[in-house]
Each structure stands twice: as structure tokens, then as C-alpha cells.
Amino acid sequence: MYYDLLPRVVAELDPTRPYWPGSPYSGAPDLPPNDPARGTIHIWDVWNREDYSRYAAYRPRFVAEFGFQGPRSAADEEAGPPPPAAGPPANREPQAVDPPPPRHAT
């Protein structure tokens, strides 16, 4: 669909507009999708493993996604540590290698 149907539809509806199938993407399906020398990249190692100063090491063409874990809310801090999770919580960020603890209901 992303490499066949949608490019044809976009070309038919607006032949002046380039089609880009997703993000991250390096310009062709056979190239590594997160190549900083081509296309778009996502930077999530800062969120997962590195300090914010790690962003300075990147020289990408275009960063489509990035993030940095923020502090818990004041209500969560006042409530104390969260109870142990019985299973994978639904509110954890999927890109996080070591996701934050689940939030308390407010």
C-alpha cells in the first residue's frame, strides 16, 4: 500500500506533489530507514539512554521525531511511588527502552 497504491493515488490527484511513504524513511525501501544522511530520522536514544547534550552529536537532514522524558506530575509526586505493575502498562511510551513507571489515576 505505502509503496504501490498511495504513490499512484497521490500522483493521480496531484502530480506536482512528491510522495513520502512514512517516517523515518531514507528515500527507498531498500535503504536503512533511520539514515541521518538521507530522508527523515527519529532520535529516541536521548529519551532512552542518553543525556540531552547527546542531541549536539547529530547532524541529520531532518528530524521528524525526538523527545526527552519530562518529570512526573506534581500529583504523582505527592502520591508517592507507584505500585508495582502486574503487566505492561498501556500508558508507557512504546519507543522507551526503560519506560517510566505508570502514572497514578487522578
Side-chain angles (χ1 to χ4, degrees):
M1 181 164 98
Y2 292 102
Y3 299 109
D4 183 40
L5 174 65
L6 293 177
R8 284 195 327 254
V9 170
V10 169
E12 180 182 321
L13 296 175
D14 185 354
T16 67
R17 189 157 325 269
Y19 172 78
W20 201 254
S23 175
Y25 184 65
S26 293
D30 59 329
L31 294 173
N34 216 28
D35 183 347
R38 297 179 168 92
T40 61
I41 71 166
H42 297 178
I43 300 175
W44 288 110
D45 64 339
V46 174
W47 174 289
N48 290 311
R49 297 177 302 278
E50 304 286 339
D51 183 81
Y52 72 92
S53 62
R54 172 85 171 117
Y55 284 127
Y58 284 95
R59 297 289 183 264
R61 290 173 35 91
F62 184 82
V63 178
E65 289 188 20
F66 66 96
F68 194 74
Q69 177 66 42
R72 294 175 359 136
S73 70
D76 283 347
E77 288 299 319
E78 291 169 5
N91 68 339
R92 292 186 178 184
E93 292 295 332
Q95 70 274 7
V97 172
D98 187 17
R103 295 180 178 256
H104 291 284
T106 54

XYZ file of all heavy atoms in Angstrom:
837
model
N 0.814 -1.191 0.000
C 0.000 0.000 0.000
C 0.868 1.270 0.000
O 0.632 2.171 -0.782
C -0.946 -0.012 1.191
C -1.845 1.208 1.220
S -3.260 1.055 2.308
C -2.661 1.903 3.745
N 1.847 1.336 0.904
C 2.651 2.554 1.034
C 3.595 2.780 -0.139
O 4.015 3.903 -0.401
C 3.441 2.536 2.338
C 2.560 2.649 3.550
C 2.242 1.523 4.307
C 2.026 3.872 3.918
C 1.407 1.632 5.407
C 1.195 3.991 5.014
C 0.895 2.856 5.762
O 0.078 2.964 6.849
N 3.973 1.700 -0.816
C 4.908 1.818 -1.932
C 4.241 1.603 -3.288
O 4.889 1.739 -4.311
C 6.056 0.822 -1.764
C 6.836 1.062 -0.501
C 6.750 0.182 0.567
C 7.642 2.184 -0.355
C 7.453 0.408 1.737
C 8.345 2.420 0.808
C 8.248 1.521 1.849
O 8.942 1.750 3.001
N 2.972 1.254 -3.302
C 2.288 0.956 -4.552
C 1.028 1.817 -4.709
O 0.985 2.729 -5.519
C 1.945 -0.539 -4.594
C 1.292 -0.933 -5.898
O 1.720 -0.442 -6.950
O 0.326 -1.720 -5.850
N 0.015 1.537 -3.905
C -1.280 2.215 -4.038
C -1.195 3.714 -3.749
O -1.603 4.541 -4.573
C -2.316 1.564 -3.120
C -3.682 2.263 -3.056
C -4.366 2.192 -4.407
C -4.532 1.655 -1.965
N -0.697 4.085 -2.600
C -0.688 5.504 -2.220
C 0.151 6.384 -3.151
O -0.288 7.485 -3.507
C -0.261 5.659 -0.762
C -1.260 5.101 0.252
C -0.728 5.222 1.661
C -2.607 5.788 0.132
N 1.335 5.947 -3.592
C 2.060 6.794 -4.549
C 1.276 7.026 -5.846
O 1.305 8.135 -6.399
C 3.348 6.018 -4.830
C 3.513 5.103 -3.689
C 2.142 4.797 -3.181
N 0.573 6.004 -6.306
C -0.234 6.166 -7.527
C -1.378 7.151 -7.313
O -1.664 7.993 -8.162
C -0.787 4.812 -7.980
C 0.234 3.928 -8.650
C -0.410 2.771 -9.400
N -1.620 2.254 -8.808
C -1.726 1.105 -8.145
N -0.670 0.341 -7.983
N -2.882 0.712 -7.637
N -2.044 7.041 -6.163
C -3.168 7.940 -5.874
C -2.684 9.386 -5.771
O -3.291 10.302 -6.334
C -3.902 7.504 -4.591
C -4.907 8.548 -4.145
C -4.572 6.158 -4.789
N -1.580 9.601 -5.062
C -1.041 10.957 -4.929
C -0.645 11.506 -6.299
O -0.948 12.652 -6.635
C 0.159 10.982 -3.952
C 0.887 12.317 -4.010
C -0.305 10.699 -2.534
N 0.009 10.677 -7.116
C 0.419 11.123 -8.457
C -0.785 11.466 -9.321
O -0.744 12.424 -10.109
C 1.262 10.044 -9.131
N -1.857 10.711 -9.156
C -3.062 10.984 -9.943
C -3.760 12.264 -9.481
O -4.185 13.080 -10.290
C -4.030 9.801 -9.818
C -5.320 9.968 -10.591
C -6.253 8.779 -10.389
O -5.773 7.645 -10.337
O -7.465 9.027 -10.262
N -3.868 12.450 -8.174
C -4.586 13.600 -7.638
C -3.784 14.895 -7.704
O -4.356 15.975 -7.864
C -5.018 13.321 -6.196
C -6.012 12.179 -6.008
C -6.267 11.936 -4.535
C -7.309 12.474 -6.749
N -2.463 14.784 -7.532
C -1.620 15.977 -7.560
C -0.224 15.591 -8.041
O 0.666 15.313 -7.233
C -1.549 16.619 -6.177
C -0.784 17.932 -6.180
O -0.210 18.313 -7.224
O -0.750 18.587 -5.122
N -0.008 15.574 -9.346
C 1.287 15.146 -9.874
C 2.446 16.080 -9.521
O 3.601 15.708 -9.672
C 1.068 15.098 -11.392
C -0.171 15.856 -11.654
C -0.977 15.883 -10.389
N 2.158 17.267 -9.008
C 3.231 18.190 -8.620
C 3.754 17.921 -7.215
O 4.776 18.463 -6.825
C 2.735 19.651 -8.664
O 1.748 19.853 -7.650
C 2.165 19.993 -10.033
N 3.032 17.095 -6.447
C 3.397 16.865 -5.053
C 4.163 15.554 -4.906
O 3.696 14.510 -5.320
C 2.149 16.824 -4.188
C 2.467 16.813 -2.710
C 1.357 17.312 -1.839
N 0.562 18.386 -2.389
C 0.812 19.688 -2.211
N 1.846 20.060 -1.524
N 0.009 20.598 -2.722
N 5.357 15.588 -4.281
C 6.090 14.339 -4.062
C 5.411 13.497 -2.988
O 4.738 14.017 -2.101
C 7.468 14.797 -3.601
C 7.250 16.161 -3.056
C 6.079 16.754 -3.799
N 5.593 12.206 -3.074
C 5.029 11.284 -2.088
C 6.147 10.740 -1.217
O 7.200 10.338 -1.715
C 4.311 10.125 -2.794
C 3.881 9.049 -1.848
C 2.748 9.205 -1.062
C 4.618 7.883 -1.713
C 2.352 8.233 -0.163
C 4.226 6.899 -0.813
C 3.107 7.079 -0.054
O 2.726 6.117 0.846
N 5.929 10.734 0.091
C 6.894 10.203 1.062
C 6.130 9.204 1.911
O 5.181 9.575 2.600
C 7.432 11.358 1.905
C 8.729 11.084 2.581
C 8.917 10.835 3.909
C 10.025 11.073 1.992
N 10.246 10.660 4.181
C 10.953 10.799 3.007
C 10.486 11.243 0.691
C 12.314 10.707 2.776
C 11.849 11.156 0.470
C 12.735 10.892 1.496
N 6.491 7.917 1.898
C 5.652 6.875 2.485
C 5.566 6.836 4.010
O 4.704 6.170 4.544
C 6.244 5.579 1.952
C 7.643 5.905 1.657
C 7.654 7.343 1.234
N 6.435 7.498 4.709
C 6.362 7.443 6.165
C 7.590 8.054 6.797
O 8.404 8.688 6.129
N 7.714 7.840 8.081
C 8.835 8.390 8.822
C 9.169 7.453 9.978
O 8.263 7.000 10.669
C 8.443 9.764 9.350
O 9.444 10.291 10.164
N 10.442 7.117 10.171
C 11.586 7.558 9.391
C 11.631 6.841 8.033
O 11.141 5.730 7.890
C 12.776 7.167 10.248
C 12.335 5.977 11.033
C 10.859 6.194 11.268
N 12.248 7.507 7.074
C 12.365 6.949 5.728
C 13.553 7.596 5.044
O 13.752 8.810 5.153
C 11.082 7.218 4.937
C 11.055 6.608 3.564
C 11.066 5.226 3.402
C 11.008 7.405 2.442
C 11.036 4.664 2.131
C 10.965 6.849 1.172
C 10.986 5.484 1.023
O 10.941 4.926 -0.232
N 14.344 6.799 4.335
C 15.574 7.298 3.720
C 15.504 7.428 2.200
O 16.529 7.534 1.550
C 16.746 6.397 4.114
O 16.993 6.513 5.500
N 14.304 7.397 1.637
C 14.167 7.645 0.216
C 13.933 6.430 -0.644
O 13.570 6.566 -1.808
N 14.155 5.222 -0.120
C 13.906 3.992 -0.873
C 13.691 2.847 0.122
O 14.326 2.822 1.186
C 15.075 3.675 -1.792
N 12.833 1.905 -0.195
C 12.535 0.810 0.743
C 13.739 -0.066 1.093
O 13.770 -0.677 2.147
C 11.469 -0.026 0.033
C 11.030 0.756 -1.134
C 12.031 1.833 -1.398
N 14.758 -0.109 0.219
C 15.916 -0.969 0.486
C 17.015 -0.276 1.285
O 18.019 -0.887 1.620
C 16.476 -1.515 -0.824
C 16.898 -0.410 -1.782
O 16.283 0.667 -1.756
O 17.836 -0.642 -2.561
N 16.835 1.004 1.627
C 17.818 1.731 2.433
C 17.439 1.665 3.906
O 16.266 1.541 4.245
C 17.868 3.197 1.994
C 18.393 3.461 0.591
C 18.214 4.937 0.229
C 19.854 3.062 0.478
N 18.424 1.766 4.810
C 18.097 1.811 6.243
C 17.173 3.001 6.523
O 17.467 4.120 6.107
C 19.450 1.999 6.936
C 20.477 1.618 5.921
C 19.866 1.867 4.568
N 16.053 2.812 7.207
C 15.068 3.884 7.355
C 15.513 5.063 8.212
O 14.984 6.148 8.079
C 13.870 3.182 7.985
C 14.425 1.980 8.626
C 15.620 1.569 7.821
N 16.475 4.874 9.096
C 16.861 5.946 10.020
C 18.255 6.490 9.688
O 18.989 6.892 10.570
C 16.806 5.424 11.457
C 16.323 6.458 12.439
O 15.567 7.357 12.095
N 16.748 6.338 13.675
N 18.614 6.550 8.411
C 19.928 7.021 7.978
C 19.974 8.548 8.076
O 19.218 9.234 7.394
C 20.167 6.574 6.537
C 21.544 6.952 6.022
O 22.241 7.760 6.663
O 21.925 6.433 4.955
N 20.858 9.119 8.904
C 20.890 10.570 9.065
C 21.346 11.314 7.809
O 21.146 12.515 7.695
C 21.870 10.799 10.219
C 22.663 9.559 10.320
C 21.825 8.447 9.770
N 21.942 10.616 6.846
C 22.402 11.265 5.619
C 21.302 11.338 4.562
O 21.462 12.001 3.549
C 23.607 10.521 5.046
N 20.188 10.631 4.791
C 19.103 10.583 3.808
C 17.767 10.748 4.526
O 17.551 10.183 5.577
C 19.070 9.238 3.099
C 20.266 8.898 2.292
C 20.056 7.507 1.697
N 21.011 7.178 0.684
C 22.142 6.543 0.921
N 22.444 6.164 2.141
N 22.976 6.286 -0.063
N 16.875 11.464 3.937
C 15.494 11.499 4.403
C 15.296 12.008 5.814
O 15.945 12.946 6.258
N 14.360 11.362 6.528
C 13.994 11.778 7.881
C 14.467 10.745 8.888
O 14.588 9.567 8.571
C 12.464 11.907 8.015
O 11.875 10.637 7.761
C 11.911 12.935 7.054
N 14.745 11.193 10.104
C 15.131 10.262 11.171
C 14.324 10.544 12.427
O 13.699 11.596 12.559
C 16.644 10.317 11.498
C 17.022 11.619 12.211
C 17.492 10.113 10.272
C 18.389 11.581 12.838
N 14.352 9.587 13.334
C 13.801 9.740 14.681
C 14.959 9.590 15.655
O 15.765 8.683 15.511
C 12.763 8.668 14.979
C 11.555 8.716 14.102
N 10.542 7.805 14.213
C 11.193 9.565 13.102
C 9.607 8.078 13.326
N 9.980 9.141 12.632
N 15.042 10.474 16.620
C 16.088 10.396 17.646
C 15.419 10.048 18.972
O 14.750 10.891 19.571
C 16.860 11.728 17.782
C 17.531 12.089 16.467
C 17.882 11.627 18.910
C 18.215 13.454 16.489
N 15.585 8.803 19.399
C 14.995 8.390 20.674
C 16.045 7.890 21.662
O 15.705 7.532 22.782
C 13.928 7.318 20.450
C 12.704 7.892 19.830
C 12.242 7.693 18.558
C 11.787 8.809 20.431
N 11.109 8.418 18.331
C 10.803 9.118 19.473
C 11.711 9.407 21.686
C 9.750 9.983 19.724
C 10.662 10.271 21.941
C 9.698 10.551 20.963
N 17.334 7.869 21.293
C 18.321 7.405 22.271
C 18.470 8.396 23.414
O 18.795 8.010 24.533
C 19.666 7.086 21.623
C 20.345 8.286 21.000
O 19.655 9.287 20.705
O 21.563 8.219 20.795
N 18.193 9.682 23.157
C 18.243 10.676 24.240
C 17.155 10.358 25.261
O 17.376 10.385 26.463
C 18.101 12.103 23.683
C 18.002 13.117 24.808
C 19.282 12.424 22.775
N 15.982 10.015 24.793
C 14.881 9.638 25.680
C 15.267 8.396 26.483
O 15.009 8.294 27.669
C 13.654 9.349 24.825
C 12.470 8.809 25.535
C 12.339 7.558 26.071
C 11.240 9.475 25.787
N 11.100 7.401 26.621
C 10.401 8.566 26.462
C 10.761 10.728 25.498
C 9.109 8.895 26.849
C 9.476 11.039 25.884
C 8.674 10.136 26.565
N 15.867 7.432 25.804
C 16.098 6.125 26.399
C 17.356 5.995 27.232
O 17.330 5.403 28.290
C 16.152 5.059 25.294
C 14.803 4.831 24.673
O 13.842 4.654 25.381
N 14.747 4.833 23.366
N 18.488 6.486 26.705
C 19.761 6.146 27.340
C 20.697 7.326 27.571
O 21.654 7.201 28.310
C 20.501 5.132 26.465
C 19.799 3.824 26.307
C 20.546 2.887 25.361
N 20.743 3.424 24.026
C 19.828 3.395 23.059
N 18.658 2.854 23.280
N 20.088 3.888 21.871
N 20.496 8.434 26.898
C 21.493 9.496 26.887
C 20.974 10.786 27.522
O 19.782 11.014 27.593
C 21.901 9.807 25.439
C 22.403 8.619 24.657
C 23.789 8.173 25.052
O 24.530 8.991 25.646
O 24.133 7.015 24.788
N 21.887 11.625 27.917
C 21.579 12.963 28.414
C 21.203 13.864 27.235
O 21.580 13.598 26.096
C 22.829 13.500 29.125
C 22.599 14.848 29.737
O 22.029 14.917 30.832
O 22.977 15.850 29.090
N 20.482 14.963 27.495
C 20.031 15.860 26.427
C 21.184 16.408 25.593
O 21.007 16.758 24.424
C 19.191 17.006 26.981
C 20.013 18.021 27.744
C 20.541 19.127 27.091
C 20.264 17.866 29.100
C 21.300 20.051 27.776
C 21.024 18.781 29.785
C 21.539 19.871 29.130
O 22.294 20.773 29.809
N 22.385 16.489 26.145
C 23.522 17.026 25.394
C 23.878 16.132 24.196
O 24.577 16.575 23.283
C 24.734 17.216 26.301
O 25.136 15.965 26.832
N 23.380 14.920 24.166
C 23.618 13.995 23.042
C 23.047 14.549 21.735
O 23.536 14.233 20.656
C 22.995 12.637 23.363
C 23.005 11.650 22.231
C 24.333 10.911 22.184
N 24.225 9.828 21.209
C 24.960 9.761 20.120
N 25.868 10.675 19.864
N 24.816 8.764 19.285
N 22.022 15.374 21.801
C 21.448 15.957 20.582
C 22.513 16.689 19.766
O 22.438 16.727 18.537
C 20.322 16.932 20.912
C 19.028 16.274 21.301
C 18.386 16.612 22.475
C 18.425 15.333 20.469
C 17.175 16.029 22.831
C 17.223 14.736 20.816
C 16.609 15.100 22.003
O 15.420 14.515 22.344
N 23.515 17.285 20.411
C 24.552 18.040 19.703
C 25.392 17.153 18.787
O 26.017 17.652 17.849
C 25.451 18.755 20.709
N 25.409 15.847 19.023
C 26.201 14.929 18.201
C 25.533 14.623 16.865
O 26.169 14.080 15.966
C 26.441 13.621 18.961
N 24.280 14.958 16.708
C 23.542 14.651 15.483
C 23.685 15.775 14.463
O 23.663 16.953 14.813
C 22.054 14.450 15.792
C 21.766 13.125 16.434
C 21.692 13.000 17.812
C 21.569 11.991 15.660
C 21.437 11.790 18.400
C 21.311 10.766 16.244
C 21.242 10.667 17.613
O 20.991 9.454 18.193
N 23.798 15.395 13.201
C 23.794 16.332 12.079
C 22.888 15.762 10.979
O 23.308 15.550 9.857
C 25.204 16.535 11.519
C 26.174 17.159 12.490
C 25.836 18.633 12.733
N 26.794 19.275 13.613
C 26.623 19.427 14.905
N 25.568 18.971 15.503
N 27.532 20.044 15.636
N 21.612 15.518 11.315
C 20.717 14.892 10.344
C 20.182 15.900 9.334
O 20.261 17.109 9.533
C 19.583 14.373 11.217
C 19.528 15.359 12.333
C 20.969 15.756 12.589
N 19.600 15.351 8.278
C 18.928 16.200 7.296
C 17.642 16.766 7.885
O 17.373 17.943 7.793
C 18.597 15.399 6.042
C 19.798 15.021 5.224
C 19.442 14.072 4.086
N 18.158 14.290 3.481
C 17.909 15.071 2.430
N 18.891 15.704 1.863
N 16.699 15.200 1.947
N 16.823 15.905 8.497
C 15.553 16.342 9.073
C 15.143 15.369 10.174
O 15.059 14.167 9.940
C 14.462 16.380 8.004
C 13.147 16.917 8.523
C 12.931 18.276 8.627
C 12.146 16.052 8.925
C 11.734 18.769 9.123
C 10.938 16.536 9.423
C 10.738 17.893 9.514
N 14.905 15.877 11.376
C 14.458 15.052 12.497
C 12.943 15.161 12.577
O 12.398 16.225 12.844
C 15.097 15.492 13.824
C 14.576 14.645 14.977
C 16.606 15.416 13.743
N 12.252 14.051 12.328
C 10.792 14.047 12.335
C 10.233 13.786 13.726
O 9.116 14.193 14.024
C 10.264 13.000 11.357
N 10.981 13.086 14.561
C 10.545 12.825 15.939
C 11.754 12.836 16.848
O 12.830 12.365 16.484
C 9.875 11.454 16.064
C 8.527 11.356 15.433
C 7.845 10.022 15.758
O 8.229 9.359 16.747
O 6.930 9.660 15.014
N 11.549 13.362 18.050
C 12.555 13.310 19.093
C 11.836 13.530 20.413
O 10.656 13.876 20.434
C 13.658 14.361 18.892
C 13.173 15.776 19.024
C 13.306 16.459 20.220
C 12.576 16.427 17.952
C 12.851 17.760 20.346
C 12.131 17.730 18.064
C 12.263 18.400 19.258
N 12.515 13.317 21.488
C 11.856 13.538 22.764
C 12.828 13.502 23.909
O 13.990 13.144 23.761
N 12.329 13.879 25.038
C 13.097 13.817 26.273
C 12.096 13.611 27.399
O 11.074 14.297 27.460
C 13.887 15.111 26.481
C 14.946 14.981 27.531
C 16.108 14.280 27.270
C 14.766 15.531 28.780
C 17.088 14.139 28.243
C 15.734 15.402 29.757
C 16.904 14.707 29.485
N 12.359 12.651 28.242
C 11.442 12.326 29.324
C 11.339 13.490 30.298
O 12.350 13.959 30.820
C 11.919 11.072 30.059
C 11.068 10.684 31.239
C 9.667 10.262 30.825
O 9.503 9.559 29.852
N 8.679 10.684 31.567
N 10.138 13.957 30.531
C 9.900 15.020 31.498
C 9.642 14.447 32.886
O 9.502 13.239 33.067
N 9.575 15.304 33.880
C 9.300 14.834 35.236
C 7.853 14.377 35.387
O 6.990 14.712 34.584
C 9.569 16.065 36.098
C 9.300 17.209 35.183
C 9.722 16.753 33.817
N 7.614 13.601 36.418
C 6.241 13.205 36.731
C 5.453 14.437 37.155
O 6.016 15.444 37.552
C 6.248 12.181 37.876
C 6.888 10.891 37.476
C 7.053 9.847 38.567
N 6.616 10.152 39.893
C 5.927 9.319 40.684
N 5.591 8.134 40.255
N 5.597 9.642 41.892
N 4.147 14.326 37.110
C 3.306 15.457 37.513
C 3.406 15.674 39.026
O 3.795 14.771 39.779
C 1.853 15.183 37.126
O 1.325 14.146 37.938
N 3.020 16.865 39.472
C 3.044 17.177 40.903
C 2.134 16.213 41.673
O 2.480 15.759 42.765
C 2.622 18.622 41.132
N 0.978 15.878 41.099
C 0.057 14.944 41.764
C 0.695 13.576 41.929
O 0.548 12.929 42.976
C -1.238 14.831 40.971
N 1.429 13.105 40.927
C 2.115 11.817 41.035
C 3.190 11.859 42.115
O 3.353 10.917 42.888
C 2.757 11.431 39.709
C 1.753 10.919 38.692
O 0.609 10.626 39.089
O 2.113 10.818 37.515
N 3.943 12.953 42.156
C 4.991 13.081 43.161
C 4.401 13.094 44.569
O 4.924 12.453 45.480
C 5.819 14.343 42.919
C 6.726 14.260 41.731
C 7.755 13.145 41.864
O 8.317 12.945 42.960
O 8.014 12.483 40.852
N 3.304 13.816 44.752
C 2.668 13.893 46.068
C 2.083 12.548 46.491
O 2.055 12.223 47.671
C 1.580 14.957 46.063
C 2.144 16.367 45.962
C 1.080 17.413 45.686
O -0.119 17.080 45.663
O 1.466 18.576 45.481
N 1.636 11.748 45.525
C 1.038 10.447 45.830
C 2.086 9.422 46.242
O 1.758 8.405 46.840
C 0.254 9.934 44.630
N 3.347 9.680 45.922
C 4.404 8.745 46.277
C 4.708 7.793 45.132
O 4.193 7.924 44.034
N 5.564 6.801 45.409
C 5.953 5.886 44.331
C 4.764 5.063 43.846
O 3.870 4.733 44.629
C 7.021 5.008 44.966
C 6.859 5.177 46.428
C 6.189 6.496 46.668
N 4.758 4.731 42.566
C 3.654 3.932 42.030
C 3.730 2.489 42.515
O 4.805 2.003 42.842
C 3.868 4.007 40.523
C 5.331 4.263 40.372
C 5.736 5.082 41.558
N 2.587 1.807 42.563
C 2.619 0.397 42.930
C 3.284 -0.411 41.819
O 3.326 0.028 40.668
C 1.128 0.039 43.046
C 0.433 1.035 42.193
C 1.259 2.286 42.259
N 3.828 -1.583 42.146
C 4.446 -2.410 41.103
C 3.417 -2.782 40.028
O 2.260 -3.052 40.332
C 4.916 -3.654 41.833
C 4.870 -3.316 43.286
C 3.896 -2.193 43.455
N 3.857 -2.765 38.800
C 2.968 -3.104 37.689
C 2.840 -4.613 37.561
O 3.821 -5.337 37.632
C 3.513 -2.514 36.397
N 1.609 -5.088 37.358
C 1.378 -6.514 37.167
C 1.676 -6.933 35.734
O 1.969 -8.077 35.466
C -0.062 -6.856 37.514
N 1.584 -6.020 34.814
C 1.826 -6.310 33.401
C 2.287 -5.046 32.726
O 2.487 -4.027 33.371
N 2.450 -5.090 31.417
C 2.901 -3.870 30.730
C 1.811 -2.809 30.715
O 0.736 -3.038 30.180
C 3.220 -4.354 29.313
C 2.493 -5.640 29.170
C 2.299 -6.213 30.536
N 2.042 -1.663 31.355
C 1.037 -0.603 31.376
C 0.789 -0.030 29.985
O 1.693 0.052 29.167
C 1.637 0.463 32.284
C 2.778 -0.179 32.965
C 3.212 -1.339 32.120
N -0.410 0.372 29.727
C -0.794 0.903 28.419
C -0.261 2.311 28.203
O -0.158 2.753 27.074
C -2.311 0.893 28.284
N 0.089 3.023 29.278
C 0.486 4.415 29.106
C 1.993 4.595 28.967
O 2.477 5.702 28.982
C -0.033 5.270 30.263
C 0.634 4.936 31.581
O 1.178 3.852 31.750
N 0.588 5.855 32.524
N 2.733 3.528 28.822
C 4.169 3.666 28.619
C 4.463 3.986 27.172
O 3.794 3.507 26.278
C 4.898 2.389 29.022
C 4.852 2.149 30.513
C 5.700 0.987 30.880
N 5.670 0.807 32.321
C 6.395 -0.097 32.954
N 7.168 -0.910 32.281
N 6.329 -0.192 34.246
N 5.481 4.789 26.957
C 5.864 5.163 25.601
C 6.444 3.951 24.885
O 7.345 3.302 25.394
C 6.901 6.287 25.628
C 6.356 7.596 26.128
C 5.306 8.175 25.205
O 5.349 7.917 23.998
O 4.438 8.893 25.703
N 5.966 3.630 23.688
C 6.454 2.440 23.003
C 7.912 2.527 22.584
O 8.565 1.520 22.434
C 5.552 2.336 21.779
C 5.006 3.692 21.588
C 4.956 4.324 22.952
N 8.461 3.727 22.398
C 9.840 3.852 21.969
C 10.821 3.793 23.131
O 12.012 3.764 22.920
C 10.052 5.139 21.168
C 9.964 6.404 21.984
C 8.539 6.908 22.121
O 7.605 6.250 21.710
N 8.372 8.062 22.692
N 10.324 3.787 24.356
C 11.203 3.810 25.513
C 11.752 2.429 25.816
O 11.016 1.464 25.935
C 10.459 4.362 26.731
N 13.079 2.327 25.931
C 13.719 1.072 26.294
C 13.447 0.770 27.761
O 13.128 -0.334 28.134
C 15.238 1.154 26.031
C 15.937 -0.072 26.580
C 15.503 1.291 24.544
N 13.557 1.788 28.609
C 13.286 1.641 30.030
C 12.209 2.667 30.373
O 12.501 3.751 30.863
C 14.563 1.897 30.826
C 14.395 1.604 32.304
O 13.421 0.913 32.661
O 15.228 2.063 33.100
N 10.945 2.352 30.098
C 9.876 3.344 30.209
C 9.660 3.815 31.648
O 10.026 3.130 32.602
C 8.650 2.630 29.679
C 8.969 1.187 29.749
C 10.453 1.047 29.698
N 9.032 4.967 31.789
C 8.753 5.498 33.124
C 7.708 4.640 33.825
O 6.968 3.896 33.178
C 8.207 6.895 32.846
C 7.653 6.804 31.473
C 8.511 5.832 30.734
N 7.636 4.724 35.151
C 6.622 3.956 35.866
C 5.231 4.450 35.520
O 5.062 5.597 35.091
C 6.937 4.200 37.342
C 7.728 5.464 37.363
C 8.462 5.529 36.050
N 4.209 3.607 35.691
C 2.835 4.041 35.369
C 2.411 5.197 36.254
O 2.835 5.310 37.404
C 1.997 2.800 35.625
C 2.831 1.908 36.464
C 4.261 2.257 36.209
N 1.555 6.036 35.728
C 1.062 7.190 36.485
C -0.107 6.768 37.354
O -0.843 5.850 37.029
C 0.617 8.285 35.527
C 1.746 8.846 34.732
C 1.236 9.915 33.803
N 2.348 10.470 33.084
C 2.894 11.647 33.353
N 2.439 12.388 34.315
N 3.908 12.079 32.658
N -0.296 7.487 38.443
C -1.432 7.263 39.311
C -2.678 7.865 38.685
O -2.607 8.875 37.988
C -1.228 7.943 40.679
C -0.157 7.287 41.484
N -0.336 6.103 42.130
C 1.125 7.644 41.711
C 0.769 5.775 42.752
N 1.686 6.701 42.513
N -3.805 7.270 38.914
C -5.067 7.860 38.445
C -5.317 9.133 39.227
O -5.063 9.204 40.426
C -6.203 6.879 38.621
N -5.825 10.151 38.551
C -6.104 11.422 39.252
C -7.585 11.680 39.295
O -8.361 11.120 38.587
C -5.412 12.603 38.540
O -5.792 12.617 37.181
C -3.917 12.502 38.676
